[in-house]
Structures are given as C-alpha cells and as structure tokens.
Amino acid sequence: MDIKTNEVLDAKGLACPMPIVKTKKTIKNLDAGQVLKVEATDKGSTADMKAWAEKTGHQYLGTTEENDVLSHYIRKSSDEDSQEKQYPHVVDNEVLQSLDEDAIVLDVRESAEYAFGHIPGSKSIPLGELDERMSEIGDTKNIYVVCRTGNRSDMAAQKLAAKGYNHVYNVVPGMSGWSGETTKSN
C-alpha cells in the first residue's frame, strides 16, 4: 500500500511511552490535516497510538505491518468539524448510497485516509491535488464530493463549480457518518 504522508517519524526500538512522546512532539510541527507516519517496533504501540489519537482529537487512520515494523498513520486534527459549510448543493449519505452508474463519487481526503477505507468505486483526488488533476474528472456526470465531515468536500465542490463543472454535490456528513460498504486500497 503506497500511502502519501507529510512526515515520517522513526520510533523503531523504542518502548512505551516513547513512541507517543515522540509522536506528540512531531505532530505539533505539522499543519492541520497533514498525515504523520510513525514507524515503530513496539507491538503495543498500535493500541497506544489509537487511544492517544482519539484522546487528543487527532484522526487515527490505521496501521500496516511489514518486516516487523508497524507503520501508524495519524492525521493532525483541524477545526473542520466546526467550520460552516458554504456550497449550496448538499446531499446526505442516504442519497450517496442510492446512486446509479451515471455518477462519480470523488473522495478528496488525503491518500492515507482513502487507503484505509473508502466507498467502492470512488475516485481519490486529495483536495490539495484537485487543481492539477481536475481534468481527470468527467463533467457530464453528477459529481458527489466526499471527505471525512463535509468541509474539504465543500471547498472542492466550490472549486469544481468555479471551473464550470455542473451537477456537483457536497456530501454531508461524509465518511464520518458513512454506514455503507467500504474497501481498503491494496
């Protein structure tokens, strides 16, 4: 699984609580929404990272393991949950679950978020890459933009509409309230 991250922290060989201590220090230097990859060998670090992220408000995305090295992915929290949504064409998750073939589900979360769970058939273009990759999206179908809570998808929907895309819908609350099927990237 090739996951784009903004920073990698080497915590291999460290025992509890040091991976958390180093993670706490490192994540302070990241911008809101950026993804930190923490490499650790302490088997207990998976539960520790998840609990720490939940306690501090950061988003624990998931953990992979390769050659006895655990890679924990954590997205730095932001104030996106409390920001006002502005794009006028909003649909809820129920509408998204009943879509037909004539629709595009555009996931604008970071690649690490997408890798650990996304709607089957959705297209991943992180918000930060949307301007450069907009040509990958056909403009003849309905476009349903999804993120974790509806804030990044709101911004993406506004960008698409400003570039002349018609039939763009922001999905609220997005993946934080999604109860349908999900899949992981290989």
Side-chain angles (χ1 to χ4, degrees), residues 55-85:
K55 180 178 139 193
T56 58
H58 299 297
Q59 184 183 4
Y60 170 80
L61 301 173
T63 298
T64 61
E65 183 174 4
E66 187 175 325
N67 300 326
D68 294 324
V69 175
L70 299 163
S71 295
H72 308 292
Y73 296 88
I74 301 168
R75 180 175 173 270
K76 184 171 180 175
S77 66
S78 65
D79 59 355
E80 69 181 31
D81 292 325
S82 61
Q83 290 186 6
E84 186 177 325
K85 314 299 183 267

Side-chain angles (χ1 to χ4, degrees), residues 1 59 61 107 109-120 122 175 178 181-185:
M1 182 178 331
Q59 184 183 4
L61 301 173
D107 192 321
R109 297 175 301 153
E110 294 300 320
S111 60
E113 293 173 277
Y114 183 84
F116 283 103
H118 58 270
I119 297 168
S122 61
M175 295 305 289
W178 180 252
E181 183 182 349
T182 60
T183 188
K184 293 182 180 185
S185 298

